[in-house]
Amino acid sequence: MTTSLSIRMAAPEDAPALLEIYRPYITDTAITFEYDVPPAEEFAVRIARTLRTYPYLVAEGEGEIIGYAYASPFKERAAYDWAVETSIYLKTGLSGQGYGRMLYDRLEAILRRQNILNANACIACTAQEDAHLTNGSMHFHERLGYRPVGIFHQCGYKFGTWYDMIWMEKMLGDHPKEPRPLLPIGQVDCSDLLN
């Protein structure tokens, strides 16, 4: 692991660099069920939309973006305000070096400050690993304390293969009778978590 890793909030201007990390996940894997690489302009809009409410983190090592993680709404209804879906992508070849854990640790710390209580991950999985999908993401989330809560069988078709999708969850806090309201990311001081 590089000693000069820094984590900061993303900006729409990061779209081209983040898209280059995401591109092989689309073109070479079933980790995402997206088929086509979006234009950088669309990716910038996705980043900006996320940052209205949720964190979108970028990890940089030695001046180069090596990964990103973000939260998005679990569902749009108001009763779901305390739950998010989390996502993470690392530059090809960098998994297993601790970068993902560092990104998720920071992401979860910020989510707690936003009063988020449930982190949910939607993960492609398979009974038979192949060249396009291993269960590495599922095992990564398990190591971080996520637990499986549901599976949808053969719901994603990519590269001529039907893949399953598993939902995993992690409780980020207790569920009080009267939860504190969701704080948009712009109202949360997370400067001590970013460097």
Side-chain angles (χ1 to χ4, degrees):
M1 184 184 322
T2 180
T3 56
S4 61
L5 187 74
S6 64
I7 297 177
R8 64 171 173 83
M9 206 63 72
E13 296 77 34
D14 293 316
L18 301 186
L19 191 54
E20 285 311 304
I21 291 171
Y22 187 47
R23 177 183 306 277
Y25 288 93
I26 298 170
T27 59
D28 304 335
T29 80
I31 290 171
T32 177
F33 287 167
E34 196 158 6
Y35 276 20
D36 300 315
V37 177
E41 298 78 19
E42 179 186 329
F43 209 72
V45 169
R46 293 182 189 184
I47 295 167
R49 185 181 317 123
T50 297
L51 287 169
R52 282 187 229 149
T53 308
Y54 301 104
Y56 201 125
L57 302 180
V58 167
E60 291 180 309
E62 299 170 9
E64 175 186 16
I65 295 177
I66 62 167
Y68 62 97
Y70 62 93
S72 54
F74 175 61
K75 294 285 183 185
E76 297 293 337
R77 306 272 194 265
Y80 291 110
D81 276 357
W82 296 270
V84 295
E85 181 178 345
T86 58
S87 298
I88 185 167
Y89 295 94
L90 294 177
K91 191 172 182 181
T92 302
L94 293 182
S95 56
Q97 298 181 40
Y99 301 126
R101 177 177 286 279
M102 290 178 72
L103 271 166
Y104 253 37
D105 285 350
R106 300 281 177 88
L107 182 67
E108 290 173 4
I110 293 169
L111 292 172
R112 285 183 181 97
R113 290 185 186 181
Q114 290 186 270
N115 300 322
I116 300 295
L117 301 174
N118 292 46
N120 304 294
C122 177
I123 301 166
C125 64
T126 179
Q128 183 66 45
E129 294 185 3
D130 61 29
H132 300 292
L133 186 66
T134 70
N135 288 321
S137 183
M138 180 178 66
H139 298 307
F140 165 76
H141 284 82
E142 285 173 343
R143 287 190 298 275
L144 295 182
Y146 286 72
R147 63 181 184 88
V149 291
I151 187 165
F152 294 87
H153 299 280
Q154 298 181 333
C155 66
Y157 183 79
K158 194 171 179 181
F159 303 119
T161 303
W162 287 102
Y163 293 103
D164 299 339
M165 186 269 291
I166 188 171
W167 275 104
M168 299 182 78
E169 73 177 359
K170 181 177 182 178
M171 298 302 167
L172 300 180
D174 295 327
H175 291 71
K177 184 167 177 54
E178 295 294 330
R180 292 177 294 170
L182 166 67
L183 298 174
I185 191 62
Q187 296 178 21
V188 176
D189 179 12
C190 52
S191 55
D192 60 315
L193 297 171
L194 304 174
N195 51 350

